């Protein structure tokens, strides 16, 4: 898949970086910002700060650090992982996990965003690395709706899974059809979460493994994901077998 990239120029008109354009969290979004050959992180940051006021910008750590030093506000510090199916096999049995009575695995495509809102809010209480100030609650319904509608990274894929207890969703693994090529583009695991009740511990990993098996069976070449710095879920991804690719910092450029 060809990804449309745009270019950032400095004050003299010199191209200093390119990025994938989009919209996120109410901001124009420069995803995967990369400096041109021979351009330093400081030069890149200076050009971005001057040319992109109000933008959300995601870049490798060294660029993000330079943007923060220049006055940008940190939005997210994350670590990117990838599962390359050519290098590591996904166990087909993960698609049909053994679950205790009352639990069952379903396709996320059989659900609507509203079905998962209360689950999402349970999984990300105030103080969680992805919801430090509790602000996520204000936009939970809207953000999930945008995710389901494909307006965040792309359409929800068939390997997305939900585990329900009776009729109540208690865990989910959502995969979007992101533009670009692996390991930092292509199909992307946007959300893995489970209900905070201890009786559901481990079900996020079960839903994730099911997504991996279904993705492999569906012919996908890889799945990527990003986990916020400080989120203990990082250990789960590493234990399951995801490989670390890169760490990034996303910032909001001051107006």
């Amino acid at each position: 898949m060809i990804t449309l990239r745009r270019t950032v120029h400095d004050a003299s008109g010199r191209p200093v970086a390119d990025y994938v354009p989009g919209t996120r969290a109410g901001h124009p979004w420069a995803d995967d910002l990369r400096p041109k050959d021979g351009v330093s992180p400081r030069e890149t940051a200076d050009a971005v700060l001057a040319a992109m006021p109000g933008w959300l910008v995601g870049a490798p750590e060294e660029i993000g650090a330079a943007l923060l030093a220049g006055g940008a506000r940190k939005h997210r510090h994350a670590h990117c992982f990838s599962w390359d199916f050519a290098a590591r096999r996904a166990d087909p049995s993960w698609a049909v996990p053994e679950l205790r009575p009352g639990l069952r695995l379903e396709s996320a495509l059989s659900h609507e965003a509203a079905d998962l809102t209360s689950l999402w809010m349970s999984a990300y209480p105030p103080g969680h690395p992805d919801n430090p100030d509790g602000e996520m609650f204000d936009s939970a319904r809207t953000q999930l709706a945008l995710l389901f509608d494909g307006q965040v990274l792309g359409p929800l894929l068939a390997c997305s899974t939900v585990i329900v207890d009776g009729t109540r969703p208690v865990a989910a693994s959502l995969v979007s059809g992101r533009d670009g090529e692996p390991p930092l583009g292509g199909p992307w695991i946007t959300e893995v979460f489970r209900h905070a009740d201890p009786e559901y511990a481990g079900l996020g990993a079960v839903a994730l493994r099911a997504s991996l098996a279904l993705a492999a069976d569906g012919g996908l070449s890889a799945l990527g994901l990003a986990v916020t710095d400080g989120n203990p879920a990082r250990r789960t991804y590493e234990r399951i077998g995801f490989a670390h690719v890169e760490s990034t910092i996303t910032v909001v450029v001051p107006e």
Side-chain angles (χ1 to χ4, degrees):
M1 181 180 293
I2 297 175
T3 301
L4 174 65
R5 299 186 69 89
R6 295 181 182 169
T7 302
V8 182
H9 299 81
D10 66 13
S12 71
R14 177 181 63 142
V16 297
D18 58 43
Y19 63 93
V20 179
T23 303
R24 173 170 280 192
H27 296 269
W29 181 30
D31 186 23
D32 191 32
L33 185 129
R34 302 281 165 176
K36 299 289 187 180
D37 290 344
V39 179
S40 72
R42 181 70 266 165
E43 291 173 313
T44 303
D46 287 344
V48 169
L49 291 166
M52 309 178 82
W55 280 63
L56 197 66
V57 177
E61 271 184 329
E62 62 273 18
I63 306 297
L67 287 165
L68 292 175
R73 173 171 58 86
K74 184 170 73 173
H75 179 75
R76 188 188 190 197
H77 182 192
H79 308 284
C80 300
F81 288 80
S82 180
W83 186 296
D84 181 350
F85 293 113
R88 186 177 181 88
R89 177 177 176 270
D91 189 332
S93 70
W94 291 346
V96 284
E98 293 185 9
L99 298 169
R100 66 169 173 79
L103 297 179
R104 67 182 181 278
L105 182 77
E106 298 180 346
S107 169
L109 299 184
S110 67
H111 290 264
E112 298 179 354
D115 299 340
L116 304 184
T117 302
S118 62
L119 166 60
W120 204 46
M121 293 172 69
S122 172
Y124 299 113
H128 186 282
D130 286 312
N131 190 25
D133 302 317
E135 297 177 353
M136 180 183 283
F137 288 174
D138 297 334
S139 61
R141 190 177 300 276
T142 299
Q143 289 302 313
L144 275 176
L146 292 173
L147 186 61
F148 267 69
D149 289 345
Q151 297 183 51
V152 177
L153 287 182
L156 205 64
L157 300 184
C159 55
S160 301
T161 61
V162 173
I163 296 175
V164 299
D165 185 355
T167 60
R168 181 178 67 158
V170 294
S173 170
L174 305 180
V175 185
S176 295
R178 187 181 192 181
D179 286 344
E181 298 296 330
L184 294 173
W188 200 261
I189 300 164
T190 51
E191 294 284 348
V192 179
F193 53 105
R194 59 98 174 166
H195 196 281
D197 193 310
E199 72 171 301
Y200 302 119
L203 289 185
V206 173
L208 175 58
R209 286 190 178 98
S211 288
L212 284 166
L214 292 168
D217 186 61
L220 298 184
S221 62
L223 285 184
L225 63 82
V227 58
T228 299
D229 188 60
N231 189 338
R234 175 177 181 172
R235 294 192 293 272
T236 299
Y237 303 139
E238 292 171 333
R239 184 173 67 251
I240 288 174
F242 281 85
H244 180 258
V245 177
E246 183 178 66
S247 295
T248 65
I249 295 176
T250 300
V251 306
V252 179
V253 178
E255 295 284 356

